[in-house]
Amino acid sequence: MGYNWSRCRGSLALGMLLCAMSSSVGASPVQRVISLSPHATELAFAAGLGAQLVGVSQSSDYPPAAKQIERVANFKGINVDRIVALQPDLIISWPEGNPPKSLSMLKQMGYTIYPASIRHLDDIATHIRELSHYATHPEQGQKKARAFMAQLNSLKRLYQHASPVRYFYQISAKPLITMARGSWPSEVFALCGGVNVFANSPSPYPQVSVEQVLLAQPTAMFSTNANSMQVWKRWHEELPAFQHQHVWALNADWLNRATPRTLNAVRQVCDSLAQARKN
């Protein structure tokens, strides 16, 4: 059934990525693929594996063709029995989100599992390029990987000297959760010159208080849910972001899913911070 990922050694994130890179280079085209997260599904399509997908996760809704594929996983877990019945040649996993026990079980069965872990924007192109080795026409995915990097590098050059803007990114309102430096999607904001007011939190996704946000005095505030920002209604006059109307709702799929569409999130964030710099 392919490469046994249990042979990978070293740190989890780096070891799995290096293992993916070393094995996929010598990979041959596969006929049946399963993805276990929405971002993995998008990466599979980008790599030229869309036609080979026989199972995807519940929230896989892009591209539109993904909606027609059987669901084998959701936020509660993975349907291991159904995956076995579908006899995949390749499983694209999400190590940070899929149940470790289920992934371990599939590895022990000998399935080829490609871990689509993404910490940096460059990793999106890396995964598309590596997954393309499993496609019948790898040049399609490799072309998309190059195009992604060309656009990403262009955006980096455009905003490399942008003046810093202190921002707060609200992941949820109840509880009030944000992100720290190094956590996805912090690099999107950093590329645009954003300075996270909670960058140095010891937790990757810290729960903070209203008082802490008020003390931080962010110049810009973001969320992927406009309604969730209503929590700040009574403190509008105390927050610079609201005083200058530097409050934006971002497209959740663009920002939260690490895929080629992340470039849209970068442009959306950069445009917003550019507006903040004008005041």
Side-chain angles (χ1 to χ4, degrees):
M1 279 181 279
Y3 190 88
N4 189 341
W5 288 98
S6 63
R7 300 177 189 173
C8 292
R9 294 291 185 266
S11 67
L12 180 60
L14 180 59
M16 294 297 267
L17 180 57
L18 291 176
C19 203
M21 293 174 66
S22 62
S23 63
S24 61
V25 169
S28 57
V30 296
Q31 299 301 315
R32 302 176 68 79
V33 180
I34 284 176
S35 70
L36 298 179
S37 74
H39 89 278
T41 300
E42 290 192 42
L43 292 174
F45 272 94
L49 292 170
Q52 284 70 47
L53 281 168
V54 295
V56 298
S57 61
Q58 184 63 42
S59 298
S60 294
D61 56 7
Y62 189 89
K67 299 178 182 179
Q68 308 305 317
I69 303 172
E70 181 178 344
R71 271 41 186 160
V72 297
N74 57 31
F75 70 95
K76 294 181 179 179
I78 297 172
N79 189 338
V80 174
D81 290 340
R82 186 54 189 157
I83 290 175
V84 171
L86 288 170
Q87 299 183 325
D89 304 307
L90 174 67
I91 299 171
I92 308 173
S93 71
W94 178 31
E96 294 80 8
N98 296 144
K101 185 177 180 180
S102 296
L103 290 182
S104 178
M105 187 182 305
L106 289 168
K107 290 174 189 175
Q108 290 173 9
M109 292 178 186
Y111 286 100
T112 301
I113 301 181
Y114 184 98
S117 294
I118 295 184
R119 296 186 60 188
H120 304 289
L121 290 166
D122 293 7
D123 294 341
I124 295 172
T126 296
H127 286 312
I128 294 173
R129 184 168 55 251
E130 295 301 326
L131 286 169
S132 74
H133 291 290
Y134 293 102
T136 304
H137 299 286
E139 66 276 5
Q140 295 178 6
Q142 291 168 20
K143 181 179 179 180
K144 289 187 178 181
R146 290 193 297 270
F148 176 89
M149 286 306 303
Q151 294 178 64
L152 178 61
N153 289 331
S154 177
L155 287 166
K156 287 181 177 180
R157 288 192 296 270
L158 183 61
Y159 292 99
Q160 62 182 332
H161 300 303
S163 57
V165 177
R166 290 168 51 79
Y167 75 92
F168 169 67
Y169 171 50
Q170 178 177 295
I171 294 177
S172 68
K174 294 182 180 180
L176 191 56
I177 296 176
T178 185
M179 65 181 177
R181 181 187 292 114
S183 303
W184 188 267
S186 61
E187 193 171 331
V188 171
F189 294 89
L191 185 154
C192 301
V195 177
N196 184 355
V197 295
F198 291 104
N200 296 323
S201 173
S203 170
Y205 297 100
Q207 180 174 338
V208 297
S209 66
V210 169
E211 291 75 14
Q212 286 176 297
V213 178
L214 292 174
L215 286 172
Q217 291 285 283
T219 303
M221 296 177 70
F222 297 90
S223 176
T224 56
N225 185 337
N227 292 330
S228 71
M229 298 299 280
Q230 293 301 313
V231 67
W232 304 106
K233 188 174 182 179
R234 59 183 291 191
W235 290 285
H236 280 197
E237 295 183 359
E238 300 178 46
L239 288 164
F242 278 94
Q243 292 170 12
H244 299 288
Q245 298 183 1
H246 296 161
V247 180
W248 292 279
L250 303 173
N251 184 300
D253 290 346
W254 293 352
L255 186 67
N256 295 332
R257 298 181 186 180
T259 73
R261 293 194 294 164
T262 298
L263 291 174
N264 295 333
V266 173
R267 296 185 183 97
Q268 193 175 25
V269 170
C270 287
D271 288 346
S272 299
L273 292 181
Q275 292 181 46
R277 292 185 184 97
K278 295 178 181 179
N279 294 71

